Amino acid sequence: AQKITQTQPGMFVQEKEAVTLDCTYDTSDQSYGLFWYKQPSSGEMIFLIYQGSYDEQNATEGRYSLNFQKARKSANLVISASQLGDSAMYFCAMREDSTGGFKTIFGAGTRLFVKA
Amino acid sequence: SQTIHQWPATLVQPVGSPLSLECTVEGTSNPNLYWYRQAAGRGLQLLFYSVGIGQISSEVPQNLSASRPQDRQFILSSKKLLLSDSGFYLCAWSVFQGARDGYTFGSGTRLTVV
C-alpha cells in the first residue's frame, strides 16, 4: 500500500499566485514527521519544511506553509506568491518513528510549472 | 558548515560491469547516511542506510551493496550492473533520527547502464 500519495502529477500556476500541492499519507504510528522537498531540474533535493505529528500549529517557512490535517492524514504544501524559480518537482515525505526514525519514505512527486 | 560530496555526477556503464559510487560528508561526526535511487520521473526509493561505521541496513533486495569504511564515507557498489540499475542515485545524511531539519542531499549521480 502507498504510504505517501501525491495525486497531482503536474500543476500549473500563474506567477505571483498561490498554489497548493496535495499530499496524503498512511501510517498507524502516533509519532511521525512530514517533510516537503523541492527538486529543480539540476536534480538536487532541497529540504523545504517539516511538520511533526505532535505539532499543534501548521509549519511555515517563508513563502511555504504546510496545511496539516491530522484526522484526514493530509499534509498539503502551500506556496504563496509563486515565482518562476519555484518551477520544479516537489516531493512529500514521511518518517515513521516506530522504525527508529531511520527511514524516510517519499511520494511520487508533483511537477510544478510557474507561468509568467 | 556541513557539506556532502557525491561523485561522479554522471556515469555510463555497460551491463555486467562493476560500480562504485562514493559519498563523503564534512563538518559533522557520526552522521546517519542514506543511499536513495530515483527512477526517471519517479519518487525516491531508499536503498541503504547506515548509523555507524560498518553498520549497513538494506531496504530492497538487489544486486547492489553498500559499505561504510569510515565515519563520513558511504559507498554504493555492484559487482555486475543490470539495465534496471539505471537511475539517479542520491546520497543523504542527517544528524540524528528525530531531526526536524530533513536530510541534506548530495548532488546525485546519474547512472545509465547500456
Side-chain angles (χ1 to χ4, degrees), chain A residues 35 37 39 41-47 50 52 55 89 91 95 97 99-109, chain B residues 32 34 36 38 41-46 49 51 59 88 90 96-107 110:
Chain A
F35 303 81
Y37 288 84
Q39 187 179 41
S41 57
S42 59
E44 62 187 303
M45 293 285 287
I46 303 167
F47 165 70
Y50 169 86
D55 293 343
M89 280 289 287
F91 292 97
R95 182 194 64 226
D97 292 341
T99 64
F102 297 115
K103 303 179 192 179
T104 296
I105 302 165
F106 287 77
Chain B
N32 296 327
Y34 310 85
Y36 280 87
Q38 184 180 23
R42 307 285 295 276
L44 275 66
Q45 178 188 35
L46 178 62
Y49 66 90
V51 301
E59 287 300 298
F88 190 53
L90 286 156
F96 62 93
Q97 56 267 34
R100 301 175 64 92
D101 293 334
Y103 292 169
T104 300
F105 283 85
S107 53
R110 198 164 301 280

Side-chain angles (χ1 to χ4, degrees), chain A residues 17-88:
Chain A
E17 292 185 352
V19 63
T20 298
L21 306 184
D22 295 341
C23 173
T24 58
Y25 59 92
D26 181 27
T27 182
S28 55
D29 280 21
Q30 296 301 308
S31 178
Y32 53 90
L34 298 160
F35 303 81
W36 277 91
Y37 288 84
K38 173 184 179 181
Q39 187 179 41
S41 57
S42 59
E44 62 187 303
M45 293 285 287
I46 303 167
F47 165 70
L48 296 178
I49 195 167
Y50 169 86
Q51 180 84 42
S53 58
Y54 292 115
D55 293 343
E56 294 185 351
Q57 295 198 345
N58 287 342
T60 60
E61 289 287 347
R63 293 186 301 111
Y64 304 109
S65 61
L66 199 152
N67 184 0
F68 181 46
Q69 298 187 41
K70 194 171 182 177
R72 297 180 58 188
K73 293 187 176 177
S74 74
N76 298 339
L77 178 70
V78 180
I79 304 175
S80 63
S82 297
Q83 302 173 356
L84 295 177
D86 294 335
S87 294

